[in-house]
Amino acid sequence: KKIKEKGFYPQFRTNWKENGFFFQKNYLKELKNYFSDVKIIRFNHLELPAIHSNAKDFKSIELYSDKNFFNTRELLLLKAIGLRDADLMANLSHLVNDFREKIPGIIRWQKKMFTLLSGRKPVRIATGKVIHTKQYLLEEEEGFISFLIEATISDFIKSTVALLEKSGCRVLQVNAGEKNIEVLNCKNDIIENAIRLSSKLMLNEELPPHFYSITDI
């Protein structure tokens, strides 16, 4: 009863050690029963537009703008090379080299980032955030690209949350790991507009509709 009377106020915090990754102190699952009109926004494969926005590789968007792309081997290849995923690259080694030729912008961007890392110089990602490479261990450089991509995704999610709150929606919970946002009293068109504005601001392009879904809880 007290929750219904006063409303629920989430507690957001940013862990400075993680260069601004986004966390939230989540409420217990049982509390959802005390709310009505709760929607959940689920994002899928945000790594792809995050890679594209950083590398400015216009061939990658030609691939993933098709909703059927999620069911192709090219999805795995783009993640393998774009994120330098060691396991994926090993499993797809017979295909990786040929696929590199289709995404030259991503390869150039990676080389530039590793040069800045080895020089201990700051890196600026697509959202404008500056990553201080001195916080990153050189011997872990294989994971450096994934780190930059996750920081880009984090900024996009934070921006979406801020725009939803500005529109009058109540953001109940954010699961940064699974890239979900739960909102209260928020119409679908408001949610879609927030995603559109946030993606243009943080990813430099409008997020294709097959990258997210909005469902009632």
Side-chain angles (χ1 to χ4, degrees):
K1 183 177 179 181
K2 292 295 183 183
I3 293 172
K4 286 185 176 180
E5 289 175 354
K6 295 186 177 182
F8 178 77
Y9 293 85
Q11 297 177 4
F12 297 104
R13 65 185 176 87
T14 297
N15 186 341
W16 64 270
K17 292 182 179 179
E18 298 289 349
N19 287 310
F21 276 60
F22 194 51
F23 298 89
Q24 181 185 351
K25 187 176 181 180
N26 293 332
Y27 58 79
L28 296 175
K29 292 182 179 180
E30 292 77 11
L31 286 179
K32 292 181 184 179
N33 298 328
Y34 291 92
F35 300 104
S36 58
D37 194 27
V38 177
K39 297 178 186 292
I40 182 167
I41 310 164
R42 292 184 174 89
F43 294 102
N44 304 305
H45 301 298
L46 285 180
E47 298 88 353
L48 304 185
I51 292 170
H52 174 72
S53 63
N54 280 281
K56 298 179 176 60
D57 186 274
F58 295 99
K59 289 190 176 183
S60 62
I61 192 172
E62 293 172 3
L63 293 169
Y64 70 69
S65 58
D66 180 1
K67 64 180 180 180
N68 295 319
F69 178 67
F70 292 165
N71 299 317
T72 64
R73 69 181 185 184
E74 280 74 16
L75 167 70
L76 297 177
L77 286 166
L78 187 55
K79 282 193 171 185
I81 299 174
L83 296 175
R84 295 183 66 86
D85 186 299
D87 292 335
L88 278 176
M89 291 180 79
N91 292 335
L92 301 169
S93 58
H94 58 297
L95 301 171
V96 163
N97 289 333
D98 290 339
F99 190 71
R100 286 179 189 273
E101 298 178 3
K102 295 184 179 181
I103 49 174
I106 290 176
I107 307 303
R108 287 194 297 269
W109 175 71
Q110 289 176 346
K111 289 180 179 178
K112 179 182 177 181
M113 293 301 102
F114 285 131
T115 298
L116 292 173
L117 174 63
S118 60
R120 313 309 276 168
K121 296 180 180 179
V123 169
R124 186 180 296 276
I125 57 176
T127 61
K129 178 185 291 178
V130 174
I131 305 294
H132 297 285
T133 56
K134 60 184 178 182
Q135 296 180 6
Y136 205 89
L137 300 177
L138 285 174
E139 56 267 26
E140 297 177 1
E141 69 172 21
E142 288 302 315
F144 185 59
I145 296 299
S146 293
F147 179 78
L148 300 179
I149 296 305
E150 284 298 322
T152 303
I153 294 172
S154 173
D155 283 351
F156 165 71
I157 293 176
K158 283 186 281 187
S159 172
T160 303
V161 168
L163 287 166
L164 287 168
E165 289 277 354
K166 186 177 180 180
S167 298
C169 301
R170 173 62 54 80
V171 176
L172 291 177
Q173 182 165 246
V174 177
N175 187 326
E178 296 187 7
K179 301 174 179 60
N180 296 339
I181 303 174
E182 293 178 18
V183 294
L184 175 67
N185 299 328
C186 199
K187 295 181 179 179
N188 283 16
D189 59 340
I190 294 177
I191 295 173
E192 290 170 354
N193 187 55
I195 293 173
R196 181 167 56 252
L197 292 174
S198 181
S199 59
K200 285 183 177 179
L201 179 65
M202 295 296 174
L203 304 176
N204 303 315
E205 65 183 359
E206 191 170 322
L207 193 67
H210 50 281
F211 276 82
Y212 63 89
S213 63
I214 305 168
T215 54
D216 295 324
I217 293 181

PDB file of all heavy atoms in Angstrom, residues 26-46:
ATOM      1  N   ASN A  26      18.389  -2.809  -8.163  1.00  0.00           N
ATOM      2  CA  ASN A  26      17.109  -3.329  -8.627  1.00  0.00           C
ATOM      3  C   ASN A  26      16.178  -3.687  -7.472  1.00  0.00           C
ATOM      4  O   ASN A  26      16.622  -4.091  -6.401  1.00  0.00           O
ATOM      5  CB  ASN A  26      17.318  -4.567  -9.494  1.00  0.00           C
ATOM      6  CG  ASN A  26      18.022  -4.229 -10.782  1.00  0.00           C
ATOM      7  OD1 ASN A  26      17.907  -3.120 -11.268  1.00  0.00           O
ATOM      8  ND2 ASN A  26      18.757  -5.177 -11.327  1.00  0.00           N
ATOM      9  N   TYR A  27      14.896  -3.561  -7.722  1.00  0.00           N
ATOM     10  CA  TYR A  27      13.904  -3.944  -6.727  1.00  0.00           C
ATOM     11  C   TYR A  27      13.627  -5.443  -6.820  1.00  0.00           C
ATOM     12  O   TYR A  27      13.965  -6.102  -7.805  1.00  0.00           O
ATOM     13  CB  TYR A  27      12.614  -3.149  -6.918  1.00  0.00           C
ATOM     14  CG  TYR A  27      11.966  -3.286  -8.275  1.00  0.00           C
ATOM     15  CD1 TYR A  27      11.198  -4.404  -8.598  1.00  0.00           C
ATOM     16  CD2 TYR A  27      12.112  -2.294  -9.248  1.00  0.00           C
ATOM     17  CE1 TYR A  27      10.601  -4.540  -9.830  1.00  0.00           C
ATOM     18  CE2 TYR A  27      11.520  -2.415 -10.487  1.00  0.00           C
ATOM     19  CZ  TYR A  27      10.761  -3.546 -10.772  1.00  0.00           C
ATOM     20  OH  TYR A  27      10.180  -3.668 -12.002  1.00  0.00           O
ATOM     21  N   LEU A  28      13.007  -5.986  -5.788  1.00  0.00           N
ATOM     22  CA  LEU A  28      12.659  -7.403  -5.792  1.00  0.00           C
ATOM     23  C   LEU A  28      11.598  -7.690  -6.842  1.00  0.00           C
ATOM     24  O   LEU A  28      10.723  -6.871  -7.102  1.00  0.00           O
ATOM     25  CB  LEU A  28      12.128  -7.812  -4.414  1.00  0.00           C
ATOM     26  CG  LEU A  28      13.125  -7.708  -3.255  1.00  0.00           C
ATOM     27  CD1 LEU A  28      12.427  -8.034  -1.944  1.00  0.00           C
ATOM     28  CD2 LEU A  28      14.298  -8.643  -3.465  1.00  0.00           C
ATOM     29  N   LYS A  29      11.665  -8.852  -7.455  1.00  0.00           N
ATOM     30  CA  LYS A  29      10.719  -9.208  -8.514  1.00  0.00           C
ATOM     31  C   LYS A  29       9.278  -9.161  -8.021  1.00  0.00           C
ATOM     32  O   LYS A  29       8.365  -8.836  -8.772  1.00  0.00           O
ATOM     33  CB  LYS A  29      11.045 -10.597  -9.056  1.00  0.00           C
ATOM     34  CG  LYS A  29      12.358 -10.671  -9.811  1.00  0.00           C
ATOM     35  CD  LYS A  29      12.603 -12.065 -10.356  1.00  0.00           C
ATOM     36  CE  LYS A  29      13.910 -12.118 -11.137  1.00  0.00           C
ATOM     37  NZ  LYS A  29      14.162 -13.481 -11.678  1.00  0.00           N
ATOM     38  N   GLU A  30       9.086  -9.482  -6.731  1.00  0.00           N
ATOM     39  CA  GLU A  30       7.728  -9.510  -6.188  1.00  0.00           C
ATOM     40  C   GLU A  30       7.059  -8.139  -6.223  1.00  0.00           C
ATOM     41  O   GLU A  30       5.831  -8.026  -6.232  1.00  0.00           O
ATOM     42  CB  GLU A  30       7.746 -10.039  -4.752  1.00  0.00           C
ATOM     43  CG  GLU A  30       8.109 -11.514  -4.622  1.00  0.00           C
ATOM     44  CD  GLU A  30       9.595 -11.778  -4.778  1.00  0.00           C
ATOM     45  OE1 GLU A  30      10.373 -10.800  -4.776  1.00  0.00           O
ATOM     46  OE2 GLU A  30       9.988 -12.952  -4.911  1.00  0.00           O
ATOM     47  N   LEU A  31       7.857  -7.076  -6.235  1.00  0.00           N
ATOM     48  CA  LEU A  31       7.286  -5.726  -6.206  1.00  0.00           C
ATOM     49  C   LEU A  31       6.554  -5.375  -7.497  1.00  0.00           C
ATOM     50  O   LEU A  31       5.738  -4.463  -7.517  1.00  0.00           O
ATOM     51  CB  LEU A  31       8.394  -4.691  -5.959  1.00  0.00           C
ATOM     52  CG  LEU A  31       8.952  -4.633  -4.538  1.00  0.00           C
ATOM     53  CD1 LEU A  31      10.047  -3.585  -4.447  1.00  0.00           C
ATOM     54  CD2 LEU A  31       7.854  -4.309  -3.540  1.00  0.00           C
ATOM     55  N   LYS A  32       6.828  -6.100  -8.560  1.00  0.00           N
ATOM     56  CA  LYS A  32       6.154  -5.809  -9.824  1.00  0.00           C
ATOM     57  C   LYS A  32       4.640  -5.961  -9.701  1.00  0.00           C
ATOM     58  O   LYS A  32       3.878  -5.335 -10.426  1.00  0.00           O
ATOM     59  CB  LYS A  32       6.675  -6.735 -10.932  1.00  0.00           C
ATOM     60  CG  LYS A  32       8.104  -6.473 -11.323  1.00  0.00           C
ATOM     61  CD  LYS A  32       8.529  -7.427 -12.433  1.00  0.00           C
ATOM     62  CE  LYS A  32       9.998  -7.243 -12.762  1.00  0.00           C
ATOM     63  NZ  LYS A  32      10.445  -8.171 -13.808  1.00  0.00           N
ATOM     64  N   ASN A  33       4.210  -6.812  -8.779  1.00  0.00           N
ATOM     65  CA  ASN A  33       2.776  -7.041  -8.603  1.00  0.00           C
ATOM     66  C   ASN A  33       2.049  -5.804  -8.096  1.00  0.00           C
ATOM     67  O   ASN A  33       0.822  -5.729  -8.166  1.00  0.00           O
ATOM     68  CB  ASN A  33       2.544  -8.206  -7.626  1.00  0.00           C
ATOM     69  CG  ASN A  33       3.122  -9.515  -8.141  1.00  0.00           C
ATOM     70  OD1 ASN A  33       3.152  -9.750  -9.343  1.00  0.00           O
ATOM     71  ND2 ASN A  33       3.593 -10.365  -7.242  1.00  0.00           N
ATOM     72  N   TYR A  34       2.788  -4.841  -7.577  1.00  0.00           N
ATOM     73  CA  TYR A  34       2.157  -3.642  -7.032  1.00  0.00           C
ATOM     74  C   TYR A  34       2.032  -2.534  -8.068  1.00  0.00           C
ATOM     75  O   TYR A  34       1.574  -1.439  -7.762  1.00  0.00           O
ATOM     76  CB  TYR A  34       2.961  -3.131  -5.827  1.00  0.00           C
ATOM     77  CG  TYR A  34       2.873  -4.054  -4.638  1.00  0.00           C
ATOM     78  CD1 TYR A  34       3.807  -5.060  -4.447  1.00  0.00           C
ATOM     79  CD2 TYR A  34       1.840  -3.935  -3.716  1.00  0.00           C
ATOM     80  CE1 TYR A  34       3.732  -5.919  -3.374  1.00  0.00           C
ATOM     81  CE2 TYR A  34       1.750  -4.789  -2.634  1.00  0.00           C
ATOM     82  CZ  TYR A  34       2.690  -5.779  -2.469  1.00  0.00           C
ATOM     83  OH  TYR A  34       2.603  -6.643  -1.401  1.00  0.00           O
ATOM     84  N   PHE A  35       2.454  -2.808  -9.280  1.00  0.00           N
ATOM     85  CA  PHE A  35       2.374  -1.810 -10.341  1.00  0.00           C
ATOM     86  C   PHE A  35       1.487  -2.316 -11.470  1.00  0.00           C
ATOM     87  O   PHE A  35       1.405  -3.510 -11.722  1.00  0.00           O
ATOM     88  CB  PHE A  35       3.766  -1.507 -10.923  1.00  0.00           C
ATOM     89  CG  PHE A  35       4.736  -0.964  -9.916  1.00  0.00           C
ATOM     90  CD1 PHE A  35       5.739  -1.767  -9.398  1.00  0.00           C
ATOM     91  CD2 PHE A  35       4.650   0.354  -9.494  1.00  0.00           C
ATOM     92  CE1 PHE A  35       6.635  -1.272  -8.466  1.00  0.00           C
ATOM     93  CE2 PHE A  35       5.549   0.858  -8.573  1.00  0.00           C
ATOM     94  CZ  PHE A  35       6.539   0.046  -8.056  1.00  0.00           C
ATOM     95  N   SER A  36       0.855  -1.389 -12.149  1.00  0.00           N
ATOM     96  CA  SER A  36       0.102  -1.732 -13.355  1.00  0.00           C
ATOM     97  C   SER A  36       0.702  -0.950 -14.518  1.00  0.00           C
ATOM     98  O   SER A  36       1.395   0.051 -14.311  1.00  0.00           O
ATOM     99  CB  SER A  36      -1.381  -1.369 -13.185  1.00  0.00           C
ATOM    100  OG  SER A  36      -1.527   0.011 -12.906  1.00  0.00           O
ATOM    101  N   ASP A  37       0.426  -1.413 -15.725  1.00  0.00           N
ATOM    102  CA  ASP A  37       0.915  -0.751 -16.923  1.00  0.00           C
ATOM    103  C   ASP A  37       2.441  -0.657 -16.961  1.00  0.00           C
ATOM    104  O   ASP A  37       3.017   0.390 -17.232  1.00  0.00           O
ATOM    105  CB  ASP A  37       0.300   0.651 -17.058  1.00  0.00           C
ATOM    106  CG  ASP A  37       0.519   1.248 -18.446  1.00  0.00           C
ATOM    107  OD1 ASP A  37       0.644   0.462 -19.405  1.00  0.00           O
ATOM    108  OD2 ASP A  37       0.568   2.489 -18.572  1.00  0.00           O
ATOM    109  N   VAL A  38       3.088  -1.778 -16.656  1.00  0.00           N
ATOM    110  CA  VAL A  38       4.543  -1.851 -16.746  1.00  0.00           C
ATOM    111  C   VAL A  38       4.923  -2.475 -18.085  1.00  0.00           C
ATOM    112  O   VAL A  38       4.363  -3.486 -18.494  1.00  0.00           O
ATOM    113  CB  VAL A  38       5.135  -2.689 -15.597  1.00  0.00           C
ATOM    114  CG1 VAL A  38       6.652  -2.823 -15.756  1.00  0.00           C
ATOM    115  CG2 VAL A  38       4.796  -2.059 -14.257  1.00  0.00           C
ATOM    116  N   LYS A  39       5.857  -1.852 -18.777  1.00  0.00           N
ATOM    117  CA  LYS A  39       6.355  -2.377 -20.044  1.00  0.00           C
ATOM    118  C   LYS A  39       7.850  -2.658 -19.911  1.00  0.00           C
ATOM    119  O   LYS A  39       8.550  -2.012 -19.131  1.00  0.00           O
ATOM    120  CB  LYS A  39       6.123  -1.375 -21.183  1.00  0.00           C
ATOM    121  CG  LYS A  39       4.657  -1.061 -21.466  1.00  0.00           C
ATOM    122  CD  LYS A  39       4.549  -0.030 -22.581  1.00  0.00           C
ATOM    123  CE  LYS A  39       3.113   0.424 -22.789  1.00  0.00           C
ATOM    124  NZ  LYS A  39       2.267  -0.644 -23.321  1.00  0.00           N
ATOM    125  N   ILE A  40       8.317  -3.609 -20.691  1.00  0.00           N
ATOM    126  CA  ILE A  40       9.746  -3.902 -20.712  1.00  0.00           C
ATOM    127  C   ILE A  40      10.273  -3.699 -22.122  1.00  0.00           C
ATOM    128  O   ILE A  40       9.682  -4.161 -23.100  1.00  0.00           O
ATOM    129  CB  ILE A  40      10.049  -5.325 -20.191  1.00  0.00           C
ATOM    130  CG1 ILE A  40      11.569  -5.569 -20.178  1.00  0.00           C
ATOM    131  CG2 ILE A  40       9.340  -6.394 -21.020  1.00  0.00           C
ATOM    132  CD1 ILE A  40      11.973  -6.795 -19.400  1.00  0.00           C
ATOM    133  N   ILE A  41      11.372  -2.956 -22.221  1.00  0.00           N
ATOM    134  CA  ILE A  41      12.042  -2.702 -23.502  1.00  0.00           C
ATOM    135  C   ILE A  41      13.252  -3.620 -23.555  1.00  0.00           C
ATOM    136  O   ILE A  41      14.133  -3.547 -22.691  1.00  0.00           O
ATOM    137  CB  ILE A  41      12.494  -1.240 -23.616  1.00  0.00           C
ATOM    138  CG1 ILE A  41      11.341  -0.291 -23.276  1.00  0.00           C
ATOM    139  CG2 ILE A  41      13.059  -0.953 -24.997  1.00  0.00           C
ATOM    140  CD1 ILE A  41      11.792   1.126 -22.979  1.00  0.00           C
ATOM    141  N   ARG A  42      13.287  -4.478 -24.552  1.00  0.00           N
ATOM    142  CA  ARG A  42      14.405  -5.408 -24.704  1.00  0.00           C
ATOM    143  C   ARG A  42      15.196  -5.042 -25.955  1.00  0.00           C
ATOM    144  O   ARG A  42      14.626  -4.948 -27.039  1.00  0.00           O
ATOM    145  CB  ARG A  42      13.902  -6.843 -24.813  1.00  0.00           C
ATOM    146  CG  ARG A  42      13.270  -7.386 -23.542  1.00  0.00           C
ATOM    147  CD  ARG A  42      12.883  -8.852 -23.726  1.00  0.00           C
ATOM    148  NE  ARG A  42      12.402  -9.449 -22.474  1.00  0.00           N
ATOM    149  CZ  ARG A  42      11.142  -9.443 -22.076  1.00  0.00           C
ATOM    150  NH1 ARG A  42      10.225  -8.866 -22.856  1.00  0.00           N
ATOM    151  NH2 ARG A  42      10.792  -9.995 -20.931  1.00  0.00           N
ATOM    152  N   PHE A  43      16.494  -4.858 -25.791  1.00  0.00           N
ATOM    153  CA  PHE A  43      17.368  -4.552 -26.925  1.00  0.00           C
ATOM    154  C   PHE A  43      18.127  -5.800 -27.350  1.00  0.00           C
ATOM    155  O   PHE A  43      18.524  -6.616 -26.520  1.00  0.00           O
ATOM    156  CB  PHE A  43      18.356  -3.446 -26.547  1.00  0.00           C
ATOM    157  CG  PHE A  43      17.703  -2.115 -26.289  1.00  0.00           C
ATOM    158  CD1 PHE A  43      17.497  -1.674 -24.989  1.00  0.00           C
ATOM    159  CD2 PHE A  43      17.293  -1.314 -27.339  1.00  0.00           C
ATOM    160  CE1 PHE A  43      16.897  -0.451 -24.741  1.00  0.00           C
ATOM    161  CE2 PHE A  43      16.684  -0.089 -27.109  1.00  0.00           C
ATOM    162  CZ  PHE A  43      16.483   0.343 -25.799  1.00  0.00           C
ATOM    163  N   ASN A  44      18.323  -5.932 -28.660  1.00  0.00           N
ATOM    164  CA  ASN A  44      19.005  -7.103 -29.213  1.00  0.00           C
ATOM    165  C   ASN A  44      20.229  -6.677 -30.029  1.00  0.00           C
ATOM    166  O   ASN A  44      20.148  -5.742 -30.823  1.00  0.00           O
ATOM    167  CB  ASN A  44      18.061  -7.893 -30.131  1.00  0.00           C
ATOM    168  CG  ASN A  44      16.789  -8.303 -29.437  1.00  0.00           C
ATOM    169  OD1 ASN A  44      16.841  -8.932 -28.396  1.00  0.00           O
ATOM    170  ND2 ASN A  44      15.650  -7.941 -30.001  1.00  0.00           N
ATOM    171  N   HIS A  45      21.323  -7.361 -29.820  1.00  0.00           N
ATOM    172  CA  HIS A  45      22.529  -7.194 -30.650  1.00  0.00           C
ATOM    173  C   HIS A  45      22.962  -5.726 -30.786  1.00  0.00           C
ATOM    174  O   HIS A  45      23.339  -5.276 -31.875  1.00  0.00           O
ATOM    175  CB  HIS A  45      22.297  -7.794 -32.040  1.00  0.00           C
ATOM    176  CG  HIS A  45      21.950  -9.243 -32.021  1.00  0.00           C
ATOM    177  ND1 HIS A  45      22.798 -10.216 -31.540  1.00  0.00           N
ATOM    178  CD2 HIS A  45      20.820  -9.900 -32.421  1.00  0.00           C
ATOM    179  CE1 HIS A  45      22.228 -11.406 -31.654  1.00  0.00           C
ATOM    180  NE2 HIS A  45      21.025 -11.242 -32.168  1.00  0.00           N
ATOM    181  N   LEU A  46      22.932  -4.987 -29.682  1.00  0.00           N
ATOM    182  CA  LEU A  46      23.360  -3.583 -29.736  1.00  0.00           C
ATOM    183  C   LEU A  46      24.836  -3.442 -30.083  1.00  0.00           C
ATOM    184  O   LEU A  46      25.287  -2.347 -30.430  1.00  0.00           O
ATOM    185  CB  LEU A  46      23.086  -2.902 -28.388  1.00  0.00           C
ATOM    186  CG  LEU A  46      21.634  -2.557 -28.082  1.00  0.00           C
ATOM    187  CD1 LEU A  46      21.529  -1.898 -26.707  1.00  0.00           C
ATOM    188  CD2 LEU A  46      21.049  -1.634 -29.151  1.00  0.00           C
TER     189      LEU A  46
END
